[in-house]
Amino acid sequence: MNFENKEYLKKLNAKQLEAVIHTDGPLFVIAGAGTGKTRTLTTRIVFLLDNMYASDDEILAVTFTNKAASEMKDRIRTELKRNIGGMWILTFHSLGSRILRSYIELLNIGNLRKDFSIIDESDQKQIIKEILKNLKVENKKTGDVINYISLYKNNNITVNEVLLDDYEKIYFEYNKYLINNNLVDFDDLLIYSYKLLLMDEVLDIYKKRFKYILVDEFQDTSLLQFLIIKKLSSYNNNVFVVGDPDQSIYAFRGASYKNDELFKSHFDAKICVLDDNYRSSNNILDLANNLIKHNKNRIAEKNLSSSINSSFKPEYASCFNENEEAKYVVDKIKQLYAMGYKYKEMAIIYRNNSLSRIYEEALLSSKIKYIVYSGHSFFERREIKDVIAYLRIALDPYNDFYLKRVLNTPSRGIGKTSIEMLENIALERGISLFESTDYFRKRELDKFVSTVLELNKDIDDFESAALFLEHVLEVINYIAYVKEKLDDADDRIENIIEFKNMLTNADLMYPGTIRDKLTSVLEEISLATDIEDKDDKDTDKVILSSYHRVKGLEFAAVFLVAMESSIFPSFYASGDDLDEERRVAYVGVTRAKEFLYLSSATSRFRNGVREYADKSRFIDEMFLTKNNKKVDNSNFLEQPSNIYKEGNKVYHPSFGEGVIVQIKDSILTIAFALPYGIKKILETYKGLEIIK
């Protein structure tokens, strides 16, 4: 085939082109950080459509976030210059949801119907708290319970009512609650859809429909997700996966590093390696390559290289304590800002969220604005969950879970006693909470029921979903409630306005009636993930984040802090766990485009005590090679100087003048003036001066 007249192919390098034009059989594209994997995947779809290997509805592309799916659609639409509405470009959970919307009733599971609602993690916590209360279980954390429930579900563990184990009792009640209320969680979306694909009548529909299947971020797939792809591709066998095994860092979420080998062996797949990096300088990539080579059992060797050259070499600073490390980081940020870099182009990355405080304090004291990527989603905020609940009961008044949230929000005189009586009636009669209001008459309840029924009847009388939301807010007097009863009212109202803007976009994006549009947008919200946070990332603020939250992002300057042996890797990490920790560090290094700073503190105040630690083993793995000279901004000498004596007067740059009162095991105990008092300092610290 002649490719000379295909402009979109001319943008590819040789390895990307090889992957794009592979049209027959399975292919594993191992795409290193910054090597253009998204371009490769989307260009492949364009190529398949442009050259009529497949029609729009014969292609399935699966990724992990709605944002990534949306970006793929935009790129393909732009290149083809036409709409691609029939193509399935979506997340794994959206894929599961689509299958369930058509066929869930074939599973014959209790009250689960095609109009099920999807709950998120905060909804799960709310349900579990209620179950813990009802079961009188007091020693369980909701987060731990969610993990156990996920483990049970993914291992297909069934339980019965006669059990002794608290977790199993909770799991039984949780499943019963979801099924009775026509709810599914994220695990259910995958588990139930896989069960449907085990039915020949369902599998035949999908496996024959999709001629080409493409999977993005394959290194993040779970075993169940792999099995779903395996089923769907069993007819045409044209499955194309893109990923970087060296960036597999989500084992705690169920991602299976072994999927790479499973895919290669099951499909006898051809492998194509992309290692031309378009993001980082070679000095930074050298460190990344040095580090990851220490991992064993890599499915393919790759050595990232770039045409980007820079005179800047990554720096490592060994600091006396956490305060001096934070000062070092802030000083570098000030230098970069003075050079013309924006704060939002800089990221401070740490292994544990608990480490952020010291860097926040240092930034605050220097009046540098920052934002913490904490994992709290826009859609988890109280006011947004309230508004969503009202829209859901306007669509379906018989949904107990959402009805219970808003029965007395805003306060309307329907207290806990009334709600408990309604729940008892519903339980005794086997009816919904909404139906139980017929058997418990109360003026406030009657008014609420009337309001809900009116909202349900009037939905399609409005010109847009956004206008219907305005009507709902006015009818329930919600804005006045926010202003009067809730903290940070202005911010909450701004969030509601932003939500209204989202509905305005939905009016343009989704077809059908207003009821159809609301159903579609609420489905999309249910499938949003915590890594699609709607924090204000466009303002000029330094980013503080854990490694996992910045995967997929890039910054001009990256600070990898607290690189200490007791913190990163974890003291307990060994074998596969150590390899995963190393991959986490590798992700951090490859976020940097121009500047990379690594730092550690010899002593750090943690868990109520001051701890001493060596630098992380990853530092030596990165720097100590014959081809890469370590840049050490250390405040320490290699060996103790042995120049100090007890009684010496000394000067410390942070604590001022002091007197050495003891020397033991190369540690100086020094008495400084208040407010600092007694400090223990290593004898090797270079910042200490003897006062003559």
Side-chain angles (χ1 to χ4, degrees), residues 146 183 287 317 365 381 451 549 569 572 581 619:
I146 287 173
L183 301 173
L287 265 65
S365 65
R381 292 165 186 168
T451 299
R549 292 281 295 167
Y572 301 102
E581 289 277 277
I619 297 295

Side-chain angles (χ1 to χ4, degrees), residues 13 25 64 75 157 255 296 299 324 368 379 385 403 424 460 507 544-545 622 657:
N13 63 40
F64 277 83
R75 290 193 189 198
I157 296 172
K296 301 172 183 177
I299 192 170
E324 290 200 358
I368 296 174
F379 300 112
K385 291 193 81 69
L403 186 77
N424 290 333
D460 286 322
D507 285 318
L544 278 75
S545 175
M622 284 186 239
E657 293 186 8

Side-chain angles (χ1 to χ4, degrees), residues 14-63:
K15 292 177 182 177
Q16 291 170 336
L17 179 63
E18 177 190 340
V20 164
I21 65 176
H22 177 91
T23 57
D24 187 20
L27 181 68
F28 191 168
V29 179
I30 296 179
T35 58
K37 71 173 179 62
T38 304
R39 169 180 286 183
T40 303
L41 191 147
T42 54
T43 305
R44 175 177 167 80
I45 295 174
V46 170
F47 176 79
L48 293 172
L49 295 172
D50 186 36
N51 293 280
M52 293 180 288
Y53 284 98
S55 59
D56 288 7
D57 60 359
E58 291 177 317
I59 289 179
L60 168 65
V62 193
T63 187

Side-chain angles (χ1 to χ4, degrees), residues 110-126:
N111 194 41
L112 290 181
R113 307 181 306 274
K114 293 177 183 178
D115 62 345
F116 60 82
S117 295
I118 304 166
I119 61 170
D120 60 21
E121 187 174 329
S122 62
D123 295 331
Q124 284 181 290
K125 288 180 178 178
Q126 186 177 332

Side-chain angles (χ1 to χ4, degrees), residues 296-533:
K296 301 172 183 177
N297 303 318
R298 296 168 73 202
I299 192 170
E301 293 293 326
K302 70 175 186 298
N303 197 59
L304 295 179
S305 62
S306 169
S307 60
I308 304 170
N309 290 306
S310 170
S311 59
F312 173 81
K313 292 185 178 180
E315 293 185 9
Y316 164 62
S318 176
C319 303
F320 168 63
N321 61 23
E322 71 274 29
N323 295 308
E324 290 200 358
E325 186 205 22
K327 182 179 183 301
Y328 162 79
V329 170
V330 169
D331 286 347
K332 291 294 181 183
I333 288 172
K334 289 177 180 177
Q335 290 174 21
L336 290 167
Y337 188 75
M339 291 164 60
Y341 289 90
K342 294 182 178 178
Y343 288 133
K344 67 180 180 181
E345 295 179 277
M346 310 176 208
I348 301 172
I349 305 176
Y350 33 75
R351 187 63 183 90
N352 305 310
N353 286 319
S354 60
L355 293 164
S356 72
R357 180 191 60 81
I358 191 69
Y359 310 104
E360 290 188 63
E361 288 179 357
L363 291 167
L364 279 170
S365 65
S366 295
K367 295 182 172 56
I368 296 174
K369 292 183 178 180
Y370 66 89
I371 184 170
V372 180
Y373 285 9
S374 61
H376 294 298
S377 166
F378 174 80
F379 300 112
E380 290 177 0
R381 292 165 186 168
R382 174 177 175 175
E383 63 278 10
I384 300 303
K385 291 193 81 69
D386 285 348
V387 169
I388 288 172
Y390 268 107
L391 292 177
R392 286 200 179 277
I393 64 164
L395 290 167
D396 177 15
Y398 304 100
N399 192 314
D400 287 2
F401 178 70
Y402 295 104
L403 186 77
K404 190 174 176 181
R405 181 179 181 93
V406 297
L407 261 173
N408 201 40
T409 304
S411 177
R412 50 177 62 91
I414 305 172
K416 287 183 179 180
T417 302
S418 297
I419 294 173
E420 285 174 2
M421 290 182 72
L422 287 173
E423 287 179 318
N424 290 333
I425 293 169
L427 188 63
E428 288 170 6
R429 294 180 173 269
I431 58 177
S432 71
L433 207 60
F434 192 74
E435 290 170 307
S436 68
T437 58
D438 289 339
Y439 302 90
F440 179 62
R441 307 312 299 263
K442 185 176 181 179
R443 184 171 59 85
E444 293 84 359
L445 262 176
D446 290 345
K447 185 177 179 182
F448 174 76
V449 168
S450 176
T451 299
V452 171
L453 290 173
E454 283 295 316
L455 291 175
N456 179 264
K457 181 172 70 73
D458 294 344
I459 291 177
D460 286 322
D461 293 343
F462 289 83
E463 293 180 13
S464 69
L467 286 174
F468 178 67
L469 172 63
E470 279 188 8
H471 175 67
V472 171
L473 294 171
E474 184 178 342
V475 167
I476 64 174
N477 207 22
Y478 190 77
I479 300 299
Y481 161 73
V482 171
K483 288 179 178 177
E484 184 180 348
K485 298 293 184 182
L486 302 185
D487 295 332
D488 304 318
D490 290 343
D491 288 343
R492 294 181 190 276
I493 291 169
E494 245 181 68
N495 290 335
I496 294 170
I497 293 169
E498 180 60 32
F499 184 79
K500 181 189 167 189
N501 293 338
M502 183 178 176
L503 290 190
T504 301
N505 292 333
D507 285 318
L508 302 173
M509 287 174 59
Y510 298 109
T513 64
I514 301 305
R515 190 179 296 271
D516 294 333
K517 291 175 187 288
L518 279 172
T519 300
S520 296
V521 75
L522 291 174
E523 171 91 342
E524 183 180 327
I525 290 168
S526 295
L527 293 165
T529 64
D530 65 343
I531 50 179
E532 295 176 280
D533 197 347

Side-chain angles (χ1 to χ4, degrees), residues 52-204:
M52 293 180 288
Y53 284 98
S55 59
D56 288 7
D57 60 359
E58 291 177 317
I59 289 179
L60 168 65
V62 193
T63 187
F64 277 83
T65 68
N66 290 318
K67 181 181 177 184
S70 179
E71 287 176 357
M72 272 192 234
K73 290 177 188 174
D74 289 342
R75 290 193 189 198
I76 295 166
R77 258 195 303 261
T78 300
E79 199 62 62
L80 292 174
K81 297 180 175 61
R82 66 172 177 81
N83 190 27
I84 54 168
M87 193 183 304
W88 283 29
I89 302 179
L90 69 187
T91 66
F92 272 100
H93 292 100
S94 296
L95 171 64
S97 178
R98 285 202 189 182
I99 294 171
L100 295 182
R101 292 289 178 204
S102 298
Y103 300 107
I104 192 170
E105 287 164 14
L106 290 178
L107 294 174
N108 196 26
I109 301 175
N111 194 41
L112 290 181
R113 307 181 306 274
K114 293 177 183 178
D115 62 345
F116 60 82
S117 295
I118 304 166
I119 61 170
D120 60 21
E121 187 174 329
S122 62
D123 295 331
Q124 284 181 290
K125 288 180 178 178
Q126 186 177 332
I127 294 167
I128 289 166
K129 282 179 183 176
E130 192 70 26
I131 291 170
L132 292 175
K133 178 183 172 185
N134 292 340
L135 292 176
K136 296 182 170 55
V137 175
E138 298 179 350
N139 59 340
K140 297 288 185 286
K141 295 180 180 178
T142 55
D144 292 339
V145 173
I146 287 173
N147 291 336
Y148 271 93
I149 288 172
S150 183
L151 179 69
Y152 287 153
K153 286 193 175 192
N154 283 284
N155 286 280
N156 202 27
I157 296 172
T158 56
V159 297
N160 56 61
E161 291 184 77
V162 186
L163 299 162
L164 296 176
D165 183 273
D166 282 344
Y167 281 119
E168 291 177 337
K169 289 178 182 176
I170 296 163
Y171 174 56
F172 179 84
E173 293 297 327
Y174 172 82
N175 261 358
K176 186 169 74 173
Y177 183 92
L178 263 57
I179 291 168
N180 288 346
N181 288 281
N182 196 27
L183 301 173
V184 299
D185 60 26
F186 270 45
D187 285 326
D188 292 331
L189 291 174
L190 299 181
I191 293 164
Y192 291 156
S193 58
Y194 181 64
K195 286 181 178 179
L196 285 170
L197 292 175
L198 293 176
M199 300 179 180
D200 289 340
E201 65 268 37
V202 177
L203 178 60
D204 283 347

